[in-house]
Amino acid sequence: MTDTSVLVTGGAGYIGSHTCVELLNAGYRVTVIDNLSNSSKRSLERVEQITGKAVEFIEADILDAELLVGLMKKNAFGGVIHFAGLKAVGESAQHPLKYYDNNVTGSLRLLQAMQETGHKRLIFSSSATVYGLPKALPLTEDHQTNPINPYGRTKLVVEDMLRDLMASDPAWSVAILRYFNPVGAHKSGLIGEDPNDTPNNLMPYVSQVAVGRREKLTVHGDDFETPDGTGVRDYIHVVDLARGHVRALEALFKRTGCLTLNLGTGRGYSVMEMREAFEKASGRDVPFVVGPRRAGDVATSYADCTRSAEELNWRAQHTIEEMCADTWRWQSMNKTGFD
Ligand code: NAD
Ligand code: UFG
């Protein structure tokens, strides 16, 4: 058991709250900084309920440089896990400067505060979106990076910033984790994904249809070059993803330098397969219509997870049935999310 304290930016959000649970269960102390722009404080109350442990919560923006420096002067964090960011691909095309400010300037402020206060261990939430259009599958970490939307470019800028920083100071210890498609929820049904507006992503939409909040799913295209014509993605249970962060942190305690790792399952499922699995898990119908393709969507994306298995001794464990069952438990216990 450890007594190390970890700073989690964006810890009230979907992946952050699940990671807080796994950190607390592993014996870490957790401080969360979150401006609640896309989350609710209740998620952290639920984290405390699940784990029986306290979370220190600071409602603040990572753009607040003075606050960050003050916080890091007062506390010696064993590591920083940086989830805070905006993540809607469509919105990033409409409001690119908002995305560059929040995701890039926010990360820059965080890194400056870390450097000033001697904190040099960081895990950064990157995304499979940095790869852009797959040239070869499965996607390995060495695949070229060529994001096709502003959101993805903000992630790549921060990755580059981290690589430059590490080249200048080998004492830094950084994991860049590229997530594939996180879905599911904690087994308790107490925390899960709670989108503010109409969900952009498949599984929150499907679960809101199943629970009766929305009429039907629109399948964005059924003429892709995939077995059933619908898009194929590498869906990963959020608890597996959260555990990947704990493993990455443990790895960073033993080394310096940069680890860039895919976190996925290594296997793809189509929109139709996910819809059908969800119907089975929930016992509810998920009616659908087929619409046109969504701009920027690729036919197929899935990860090669060899490197994360080797470096972290980590593998995703949950099945698609568990992903759907756990999403449904969260959605049916919390029909309108945390509100
Ligand atoms: P989320 O929106 O649920 O969580 C992000 C959290 O950060 C929210 O609680 C939000 O309030 C907070 N936040 C945003 N800007 C902030 C700021 N300036 N200061 C303080 N807090 C701020 O999203 P998530 O799905 O949990 O994603 C977490 C991270 O993982 C993000 O960086 C996201 O880009 C990345 N990611 C997510 C996915 C996905 O599909 N969910 C895929 C790849 C990468
Ligand atoms: N889809 C539908 N209908 C919907 C929503 C999605 O048919 O209402 C389809 C999409 O066309 C795609 C699949 O479901 O084929 C998955 O779509 P998501 O929006 O759930 O996920 P994406 O793979 O498009 O993108 C997500 C995140 C990105 C992240 C990327 C890789 O939104 O931020 O995964 O991690 F970068």
Side-chain angles (χ1 to χ4, degrees):
M1 287 294 270
T2 169
D3 187 36
T4 309
S5 160
V6 180
L7 177 63
V8 182
T9 77
Y14 173 47
I15 306 170
S17 57
H18 287 83
T19 303
C20 288
V21 168
E22 298 305 320
L23 287 168
L24 290 164
N25 284 344
Y28 291 96
R29 282 179 287 122
V30 171
T31 300
V32 166
I33 174 168
D34 198 304
N35 65 3
L36 303 181
S37 59
N38 195 39
S39 53
S40 159
K41 212 160 54 179
R42 292 212 186 101
S43 67
L44 295 175
E45 292 163 10
R46 301 276 182 90
V47 167
E48 292 182 331
Q49 192 181 334
I50 292 168
T51 60
K53 293 182 181 171
V55 174
E56 190 187 344
F57 175 56
I58 297 156
E59 184 175 343
D61 200 300
I62 55 162
L63 286 162
D64 187 341
E66 216 175 294
L67 180 135
L68 287 179
V69 172
L71 179 67
M72 291 188 200
K73 275 190 175 153
K74 222 169 69 193
N75 301 273
F77 295 110
V80 177
I81 307 186
H82 178 30
F83 293 105
L86 300 173
K87 62 167 183 175
V89 171
E91 189 194 33
S92 78
Q94 284 155 358
H95 303 288
L97 298 184
K98 179 176 163 187
Y99 272 67
Y100 279 94
D101 189 36
N102 200 76
N103 293 4
V104 177
T105 313
S107 300
L108 177 61
R109 296 278 174 270
L110 181 73
L111 294 174
Q112 285 168 327
M114 288 178 70
Q115 195 174 41
E116 193 178 328
T117 56
H119 288 82
K120 294 190 175 179
R121 193 172 292 116
L122 176 81
I123 298 178
F124 172 60
S125 296
S126 188
S127 168
T129 209
V130 297
Y131 295 120
L133 306 178
K135 299 263 186 235
L137 288 165
L139 286 156
T140 67
E141 290 84 352
D142 298 326
H143 186 280
Q144 70 169 45
T145 50
N146 188 17
I148 58 167
N149 53 62
Y151 164 68
R153 283 188 279 274
T154 66
K155 291 290 175 190
L156 190 56
V157 171
V158 177
E159 284 200 9
D160 284 338
M161 200 153 73
L162 286 167
R163 284 185 278 266
D164 286 339
L165 181 60
M166 280 180 291
S168 76
D169 179 357
W172 276 82
S173 180
V174 173
I176 293 171
L177 303 182
R178 294 176 175 160
Y179 315 151
F180 280 68
N181 291 55
V183 298
H186 190 263
K187 287 261 173 293
S188 61
L190 290 172
I191 54 173
E193 188 166 12
D194 180 19
N196 268 347
D197 308 310
T198 310
N200 295 307
N201 297 115
L202 178 66
M203 290 311 274
Y205 204 104
V206 165
S207 60
Q208 290 191 8
V209 172
V211 85
R213 274 175 72 182
R214 303 191 185 274
E215 198 191 331
K216 54 179 174 280
L217 170 73
T218 301
V219 174
H220 299 319
D222 66 352
D223 57 351
F224 288 100
E225 280 186 27
T226 61
D228 66 16
T230 66
V232 169
R233 296 290 182 276
D234 186 339
Y235 297 94
I236 172 169
H237 196 294
V238 66
V239 170
D240 282 328
L241 194 62
R243 289 179 183 158
H245 290 71
V246 178
R247 288 293 174 85
L249 186 60
E250 285 160 4
L252 294 186
F253 283 122
K254 295 189 203 125
R255 54 168 288 156
T256 55
C258 184
L259 273 173
T260 301
L261 301 172
N262 285 338
L263 294 184
T265 65
R267 122 136 248 208
Y269 287 98
S270 74
V271 174
M272 283 309 186
E273 285 175 314
M274 292 306 281
R275 193 191 69 83
E276 281 154 24
F278 198 87
E279 283 192 330
K280 217 180 252 176
S282 64
R284 299 284 179 101
D285 286 338
V286 180
F288 69 97
V289 287
V290 176
R293 290 185 185 192
R294 189 170 63 175
D297 271 358
V298 300
T300 304
S301 166
Y302 57 93
D304 181 317
C305 300
T306 312
R307 197 189 282 177
S308 43
E310 284 170 5
E311 295 283 354
L312 306 182
N313 190 24
W314 168 93
R315 260 186 201 83
Q317 305 284 341
H318 291 82
T319 61
I320 175 180
E321 288 78 19
E322 290 170 300
M323 297 179 205
C324 292
D326 294 342
T327 303
W328 176 241
R329 190 177 306 106
W330 151 252
Q331 183 68 77
S332 49
M333 282 170 64
N334 305 271
K335 288 196 174 47
T336 54
F338 286 110
D339 294 328

